[in-house]
Amino acid sequence: MLGRVRAGVLEHGTVELLDRAGVAGRLHAEGLVHDGIELRFDGERHRIDFRALAGHGVTVYGQTEVTRDLMDARAASGAITIYEAQAVSLHDFDRASPKVRYVKDGIDHEIACDFIAGCDGFHGVSRASVPAGAVQAFERVHPFGWLGLMVEQPPVSDELIYASHERGFALCSMRSRHRSRYYVQVPSDERVEDWSDARFWDELRRRLDEETAERLLTGPALEKSIAPLRSFVAEPMRLGRLFLAGDAAHIVPPTGAKGLNLAMGDVGLLCAALAEFYGEKSQAGIDAYSARALARVWAAERFSWWMTSLLHRPPGMDGFARRIQRAEFDHLRSSQAAARSLAESYTGAFGVAGVTG
Ligand code: DHB
C-alpha cells in the first residue's frame, strides 16, 4: 500500500476533512499550498490563478503520506486493523446482518457487521461480490498511458506544469521541495523496460519550452512506471448494507488528480450517513448515499475526461482535432469564465460532500 505511487494534490475540502478527523498535522507542516497551475500549449504558457478565480488553492502532499498518517492515527486509536487477510469474502449484505469472512495465519475468521464499507480498490472483493446485474458499469479506456518518474531533485517550477505538445502530453509535478514527479504520455502498449532514464528525460525536455527544459534537474529514477488512463463508474454505490467507496466504485484518469479527492468525498458522506444512523436513528443519509456520491463522481469524471481530452494527443489525431484543442486553450486564455470553470473543478469547488456542502 505504501509502495504505490499516486497523485498528490489535495482539494481544500479534502484537507478540511482530514483536519476534522484530526490527522492533518503533518500535512499542514509539510504540504505545499499551490495557488495555481501553468498550462502550456506548444510552448506557449498560461497560468490559471486558482485563488483569484475560485477562492482556494490546493495542497500538494503525497497520497502515500496521507495513507501513512491515517494508518498511524488508526494504530494510535487502539482500534484493530487486520492487514494481509487472505480469502476475504462478503456475505448477507442484502439482509440485516452482513458478515465478512477471511483467513489469517491459516485460521478462519468471521466478523458480524451492521454495515460493510467496501473501500478495497478497483480489483477488490467488494464490487466483485455484488451479483451480476445489480451494478451497471460505465467505462472509457483512453488509448494512451502515463509513464511516470520520481526523482530526488527540486521541481523545475514552483507550480505544476501541464503541457500539451505535438509529441504528446507532459506533466511536471512534485511531492515536496526536493522530490519531483514527472510524466509523459506514451502509447498504451509501451513497456517501461524500453525507457531508460536518459530516454525519459530527453522526451520530457522535448515536450517543454526551451527555458524550462534547460532548468530541469534530472537524476536517477527512484521509481518509474506506466499507468493506464481509464474512466469507470459503477452504479449504484450502495447495495443493501454494502457501500462502495473510492476506487471500488469509480476510476478517473489521472489528469487533474481527482482520484483521492473523490474517495475522500465518498467516505465523508458515508461517515455522516452512519453518524446519522447511530445518532439520530435515521436512515436518510444511508438512503441518499449513492445518489449524493454519484453526483460528485460524475462531476469529477466530466472534469478529468475534459482535461484529458484538452491535453493529450490520441493516436491518429488529425488537424481538425488538434486545432480544436488549440481553440480550447485560447478560450481558457481569453475567457475568465472558462478559466474559472477549470479553477473551480480543479480545486474542488463542488466540495467534499458532508464538509463543504
Ligand atoms: C500528479 C498527478 C496528476 O494526475 C495530476 O493531475 C497532478 C499531479 C502527481 O502525481 O503528482
Side-chain angles (χ1 to χ4, degrees):
M1 205 163 13
L2 289 173
R4 288 171 77 180
V5 179
R6 293 287 185 91
V9 178
L10 309 185
E11 294 172 2
H12 173 70
T14 298
V15 173
E16 269 187 1
L17 188 62
L18 292 166
D19 260 328
R20 288 205 327 187
V23 292
R26 202 162 63 91
L27 186 163
H28 286 300
E30 297 176 18
L32 306 173
V33 175
H34 282 204
D35 285 341
I37 53 169
E38 206 161 68
L39 299 178
R40 303 268 167 107
F41 199 95
D42 289 341
E44 282 178 54
R45 308 157 67 139
H46 182 64
R47 179 169 187 265
I48 305 283
D49 186 335
F50 292 156
R51 197 158 295 273
L53 291 163
H56 288 296
V58 292
T59 302
V60 171
Y61 186 68
Q63 191 160 327
T64 38
E65 304 307 318
V66 176
T67 308
R68 193 186 304 276
D69 294 344
L70 290 172
M71 287 166 77
D72 288 350
R74 172 100 187 153
S77 77
I80 299 168
T81 309
I82 296 146
Y83 291 104
E84 303 192 357
Q86 311 281 310
V88 179
S89 59
L90 313 187
H91 305 269
D92 299 338
F93 51 81
D94 53 344
R95 315 217 183 114
S97 40
K99 297 163 196 76
V100 175
R101 297 198 185 112
Y102 64 95
V103 179
K104 174 87 183 181
D105 300 329
I107 299 165
D108 292 336
H109 296 268
E110 181 177 286
I111 306 173
C113 313
D114 292 343
F115 299 100
I116 300 172
C119 314
D120 52 350
F122 184 71
H123 298 288
V125 73
S126 296
R127 198 181 68 258
S129 304
V130 175
V135 287
Q136 197 178 357
F138 301 88
E139 186 169 27
R140 282 279 181 281
V141 176
H142 304 275
F144 36 75
W146 279 15
L147 170 63
L149 182 151
M150 191 84 82
V151 65
E152 199 67 22
Q153 285 284 9
V156 69
S157 157
D158 288 343
E159 294 185 337
L160 271 53
I161 300 173
Y162 289 82
S164 173
H165 189 270
E166 282 291 342
R167 297 181 64 86
F169 171 70
L171 170 60
C172 305
S173 181
M174 67 190 75
R175 290 291 175 273
S176 67
R177 287 188 213 287
H178 49 85
R179 183 168 287 195
S180 306
R181 179 74 170 156
Y182 295 103
Y183 298 95
V184 291
Q185 173 193 345
V186 293
S188 297
D189 55 0
E190 202 74 10
R191 294 172 347 141
V192 71
E193 305 84 64
D194 294 334
W195 284 82
S196 65
D197 292 358
R199 183 178 172 202
F200 179 92
W201 293 120
D202 183 49
E203 188 60 42
L204 179 62
R205 274 196 210 92
R206 283 162 166 249
R207 296 183 190 189
L208 299 172
D209 61 288
E210 235 170 79
E211 188 252 326
T212 309
E214 268 168 31
R215 265 191 295 120
L216 184 70
L217 296 172
T218 65
L222 301 177
E223 193 270 352
K224 197 162 46 187
S225 56
I226 295 180
L229 270 74
R230 177 202 293 261
S231 307
F232 175 91
V233 181
E235 296 183 357
M237 286 174 58
R238 172 197 167 206
L239 298 113
R241 289 181 164 247
L242 168 64
F243 299 93
L244 301 177
D247 286 10
H250 42 73
I251 300 281
V252 283
T255 331
K258 286 289 163 220
L260 173 64
N261 294 293
L262 266 190
M264 286 287 178
D266 293 349
V267 296
L269 265 179
L270 186 52
C271 178
L274 292 174
E276 210 176 298
F277 179 84
Y278 289 108
E280 296 156 36
K281 310 279 177 252
S282 164
Q283 280 263 135
I286 281 170
D287 289 341
Y289 171 74
S290 181
R292 283 187 186 156
L294 283 167
R296 293 185 65 261
V297 167
W298 280 110
E301 292 286 351
R302 182 205 69 84
F303 174 67
S304 307
W305 168 86
W306 172 81
M307 200 151 160
T308 300
S309 317
L310 170 70
L311 295 165
H312 291 74
R313 187 177 177 84
M317 184 183 218
D318 63 10
F320 182 90
R322 185 66 181 153
R323 279 159 182 76
I324 288 289
Q325 282 184 333
R326 170 79 213 193
E328 187 86 47
F329 177 74
D330 289 341
H331 183 49
L332 286 166
R333 280 207 296 198
S334 60
S335 160
Q336 212 189 45
R340 174 168 292 122
S341 170
L342 191 166
E344 284 179 354
S345 292
Y346 194 105
T347 59
F350 38 79
V352 170
V355 179
T356 44

